[in-house]
Amino acid sequence: MLACAGESDVVSTSTASETLLFTKENVETLPPVGSINGGSLLFVDISVPRNVGSCVSDVENTRVYNVDDLKEVVAANKEDRN
């Protein structure tokens, strides 16, 4: 799994795992990403419970979006329609 993430610009997770699949420690070991996402590795975690640890966003050149972030986007879009 980490080898595949190391070859990716975007990692999407949606599992029923009870434990984190990506932690700050194992994400720090991944190679740098290309320039597609501005050189950032993007995690989109729509799992409940979460698969990507919240401190993964502390890793340089890494962005993490989860279900709560997506709810905020939906709420903002609904507000814009009114």
Side-chain angles (χ1 to χ4, degrees):
M1 176 185 66
L2 283 175
C4 289
E7 297 175 1
S8 304
D9 293 317
V10 178
V11 175
S12 177
T13 64
S14 178
T15 75
S17 176
E18 295 291 324
T19 59
L20 294 175
L21 301 179
F22 294 95
T23 63
K24 180 179 180 180
E25 293 76 21
N26 61 28
V27 170
E28 288 176 326
T29 66
L30 298 177
V33 234
S35 61
I36 291 176
N37 288 322
S40 293
L41 177 57
L42 173 64
F43 286 91
V44 180
D45 183 4
I46 60 171
S47 307
V48 177
R50 294 189 179 135
N51 291 162
V52 180
S54 58
C55 36
V56 168
S57 61
D58 295 338
V59 177
E60 188 175 351
N61 296 322
T62 302
R63 294 182 291 161
V64 179
Y65 295 97
N66 58 42
V67 173
D68 295 331
D69 298 320
L70 297 175
K71 286 180 184 177
E72 290 176 21
V73 169
V74 168
N77 286 336
K78 282 183 179 179
E79 184 65 30
D80 287 345
R81 286 186 224 153
N82 295 329

